[in-house]
Amino acid sequence: MSDHNRLTEKQKKWIAGTGIFLFLLLSALIFFFAGTPLIRFAQEPEQFRSWVDEQGVMAPIAFLGMLILQIIVAAIPGEPLEIAAGYAFGALEGTLLCLFGAFLGRVAVFLLVRRFGTRAVEVFFPLEKLNALSILQNKKKLTLWVFFLFFLPGTPKDLLCYVVGLTDLPLKSWLIISAIAPIPSIVTSTIGGDALGVGNYTFALLVFLITIVISGLGLLAYRVLCQTRERSKS
């Protein structure tokens, strides 16, 4: 019986290891064949708008797929896609698409990490980066911290998206946070993209400058919080 149990445990470890390897390989292939062209595509708004017009009613569905891919393959930056969404779909539709796509992608990442644990996170991020996020170890205020970090512009949301799955945050709380907290950062990007699309370059520049300043302040606040938390532990 004991030999059988040991064999079963070995099989489980082998299957888990194989799953992580295949996931890593698939992520690398997706980034190489889809991610890099996707970034180029989003950085050429006129070409992107033409592509949207050609796709017709399928354009929103295809774009949702791009957004989900961007969240799961964390190496792909999301801002170019959000700006392109505002440019091609307009501020309102672009914002709704980005919010829904990001929501689906983040829920998928959360469930993936809950299934595979730290190994799934280390596919994209070094362990030392995970250890730097000690503020998420505060179980009493975990929900508040997660909401604040996703609401605050400039925080590394791709990293946080994976790390949150390692915490004790309930799925219900994550669903609410994923739906509400990213609204400010997405809205500023899509509004700026929409302004570019209608030729209001002055307003677009103003939006992007304000976004850069707020994101810089948000990133600074995030780093201060992490450092303060580290000092309090030592």
Side-chain angles (χ1 to χ4, degrees):
M1 179 66 71
S2 60
D3 290 340
H4 176 72
N5 289 337
R6 283 199 297 270
L7 180 62
T8 302
E9 288 301 317
K10 288 181 180 179
Q11 289 175 338
K12 288 180 179 179
K13 290 181 180 179
W14 185 85
I15 292 172
T18 303
I20 292 295
F21 172 76
L22 292 176
F23 177 71
L24 176 61
L25 179 61
L26 178 62
S27 299
L29 290 174
I30 290 175
F31 179 73
F32 181 77
F33 289 107
T36 304
L38 182 59
I39 295 171
R40 271 199 314 269
F41 198 26
Q43 289 174 337
E44 298 174 354
E46 281 293 348
Q47 182 181 347
F48 184 75
R49 178 183 277 177
S50 299
W51 176 84
V52 168
D53 292 338
E54 291 172 2
Q55 303 306 310
V57 295
M58 292 301 296
I61 298 174
F63 186 66
L64 283 176
M66 296 181 188
L67 291 166
I68 295 170
L69 171 66
Q70 181 271 317
I71 295 291
I72 294 176
V73 185
I76 304 175
E79 288 77 7
L81 277 177
E82 293 169 4
I83 295 172
Y87 190 98
F89 294 100
L92 179 58
E93 187 179 357
T95 296
L96 293 176
L97 284 172
C98 288
L99 287 173
F100 188 50
F103 174 81
L104 293 177
R106 283 170 180 156
V107 172
V109 167
F110 184 90
L111 296 176
L112 176 72
V113 174
R114 283 287 166 91
R115 175 64 181 85
F116 292 105
T118 307
R119 291 169 297 180
V121 183
E122 289 182 303
V123 168
F124 299 105
F125 304 104
L127 190 59
E128 56 269 19
K129 281 194 174 184
L130 305 184
N131 294 332
L133 291 167
S134 59
I135 54 174
L136 295 183
Q137 296 173 10
N138 187 336
K139 294 184 179 181
K140 292 182 178 180
K141 298 181 179 179
L142 177 60
T143 302
L144 179 62
W145 276 124
V146 173
F147 182 89
F148 176 73
L149 291 174
F150 273 84
F151 182 82
L152 194 67
T155 55
K157 292 179 178 60
D158 290 339
L159 168 60
L160 292 169
C161 189
Y162 272 85
V163 175
V164 168
L166 299 175
T167 69
D168 296 327
L169 186 75
L171 175 60
K172 182 179 179 180
S173 299
W174 180 239
L175 293 176
I176 296 172
I177 292 170
S178 297
I180 298 174
I183 290 176
S185 59
I186 289 178
V187 166
T188 53
S189 295
T190 53
I191 286 178
D194 179 52
L196 287 176
V198 298
N200 194 345
Y201 302 113
T202 302
F203 180 70
L205 179 61
L206 179 62
V207 170
F208 291 139
L209 286 176
I210 292 174
T211 302
I212 291 171
V213 172
I214 295 176
S215 297
L217 293 174
L219 182 59
L220 179 61
Y222 167 76
R223 289 181 175 176
V224 170
L225 286 171
C226 290
Q227 292 170 0
T228 303
R229 179 70 177 173
E230 286 297 317
R231 285 196 294 267
S232 66
K233 288 177 61 180
S234 57

